[in-house]
Amino acid sequence: MQSNKQEPMIVKWSAYHPQFKYIIEDVLCVVHNRIWVERILTSLENNDKAHQPDHVLGVTLEAERIVDDNPELKPYKDIIITAAFLHDIGCCIDRDTHHIIGADMVMVDEWLVSKFTIDERKVISGAILKHRASWTGDDRTDVEDVVAAADRGEPNLKRYIRRACLYRYGQYEAERGINCKVTESEVDEIINASIDHLRDKFGHDGYVWGKYPRYGLKYYSKSIKGIKDKLNPNESEQNVQFIKDLYLHAKRNFYNWIKQ
């Protein structure tokens, strides 16, 4: 069945990118009820700008790619795809605790209760709970690890700076209202704070590497080394120039980012 006027979010996000159409129509709407997929996409649009459906669908695509490339994961494909699609579902309620909120939500969601056993929902719940880079609890299972790895994706500092800036702009929106205006000095503060955050998170001693997903190390090791080197806090001419270029990239694109 094709999308129709009763499914505006499916139509909208399927048109956003050919791969999004694939993951929605040929994967999510095959595994799940279309009405449920529509409802989840609608909910995700209420998230902050760094956790909109474009991010979530990208994570779901990456999770599917990892599953298809690793035979040991294929028996869990529907569970992994579902967890990837729902990993940020709690953001619209509270960004800081969204992993806990989402983990609880999947245990009582009416459609998921009809689709999965309680043990399967516990697996989905665990993957959502442990997907964040700040997770410091027990080691992840393979299913949990795939969702966490897909959420990281191929390390890309331009993507990371965009999401970091959108998150910080969202804090202004929370105080002033959606699509609020910010001054040039505030834009500078957002960008500089975002760069500091990337250094803390992705530098050589960044907190993200402590519990970095195993599947992420398998696929992204070369890119990880490059990220660490570029964010090295030394004052070499090369590093200083890279940070300057990253700042200028954010400055050029900031207003386009917040409009999307």
Side-chain angles (χ1 to χ4, degrees):
M1 181 191 305
Q2 294 299 310
S3 299
N4 56 52
K5 62 183 180 181
Q6 302 302 319
E7 300 167 345
M9 293 299 103
I10 288 178
V11 172
K12 174 181 177 179
W13 290 101
S14 292
Y16 190 89
H17 192 281
Q19 287 187 309
F20 286 2
K21 181 177 182 180
Y22 160 75
I23 201 67
I24 292 171
E25 293 285 359
D26 296 343
V27 179
L28 289 168
C29 286
V30 172
V31 174
H32 295 292
N33 182 299
R34 295 181 68 88
I35 295 173
W36 181 83
V37 173
E38 175 75 13
R39 177 166 64 83
I40 297 303
L41 288 171
T42 301
S43 177
L44 291 171
E45 283 210 344
N46 293 318
N47 288 355
D48 61 272
K49 283 183 166 64
H51 297 87
Q52 286 287 300
D54 58 333
H55 164 68
V56 171
L57 292 169
V59 170
T60 309
L61 276 163
E62 183 66 0
E64 190 204 31
R65 183 185 76 84
I66 294 172
V67 170
D68 288 347
D69 198 42
N70 293 274
E72 73 276 11
L73 297 171
K74 290 186 179 180
Y76 311 102
K77 183 170 182 175
D78 287 358
I79 288 174
I80 291 171
I81 292 298
T82 302
F85 186 48
L86 296 174
H87 78 280
D88 282 338
I89 194 66
C91 277
C92 63
I93 298 174
D94 182 63
R95 169 68 179 84
D96 291 339
T97 60
H98 76 277
H99 55 304
I100 300 171
I101 294 169
D104 290 340
M105 289 172 67
V106 301
M107 295 303 299
V108 297
D109 180 273
E110 185 176 352
W111 166 253
L112 296 181
V113 168
S114 71
K115 174 73 177 175
F116 297 109
T117 68
I118 188 169
D119 287 340
E120 289 171 330
R121 296 198 307 280
K122 286 180 179 178
V123 174
I124 296 168
S125 177
I128 294 171
L129 180 67
K130 301 178 186 180
H131 79 271
R132 298 184 69 180
S134 55
W135 175 255
T136 58
D138 57 313
D139 290 342
R140 300 181 179 97
T141 65
D142 283 352
V143 169
E144 294 164 351
D145 195 83
V146 171
V147 175
D151 187 37
R152 308 299 184 276
E154 181 81 26
N156 182 308
L157 281 173
K158 288 185 177 180
R159 184 175 76 245
Y160 292 160
I161 191 69
R162 173 182 176 272
R163 294 193 66 217
C165 287
L166 288 175
Y167 172 69
R168 282 158 181 78
Y169 173 70
Q171 294 175 321
Y172 283 90
E173 286 187 314
E175 294 180 1
R176 302 176 185 175
I178 300 299
N179 298 322
C180 66
K181 292 183 178 180
V182 286
T183 66
E184 286 301 310
S185 63
E186 288 170 336
V187 173
D188 287 339
E189 290 175 4
I190 289 171
I191 295 172
N192 286 323
S194 296
I195 291 173
D196 288 342
H197 169 70
L198 295 189
R199 280 178 151 164
D200 289 341
K201 185 174 183 178
F202 297 106
H204 274 282
D205 298 319
Y207 67 82
V208 73
W209 310 123
K211 286 278 187 178
Y212 200 79
R214 300 181 301 280
Y215 284 98
L217 294 173
K218 176 178 179 179
Y219 289 103
Y220 316 136
S221 58
K222 184 176 179 180
S223 297
I224 288 170
K225 183 181 184 305
I227 293 286
K228 288 182 176 181
D229 290 343
K230 289 176 179 177
L231 293 176
N232 192 320
N234 68 41
E235 295 299 320
S236 71
E237 183 177 343
Q238 183 179 11
N239 282 79
V240 170
Q241 185 60 49
F242 175 79
I243 295 301
K244 179 180 179 180
D245 290 344
L246 189 62
Y247 170 86
L248 291 174
H249 170 76
K251 188 76 169 181
R252 285 193 300 269
N253 290 283
F254 180 83
Y255 292 105
N256 287 330
W257 291 341
I258 65 175
K259 290 177 183 177
Q260 294 175 354

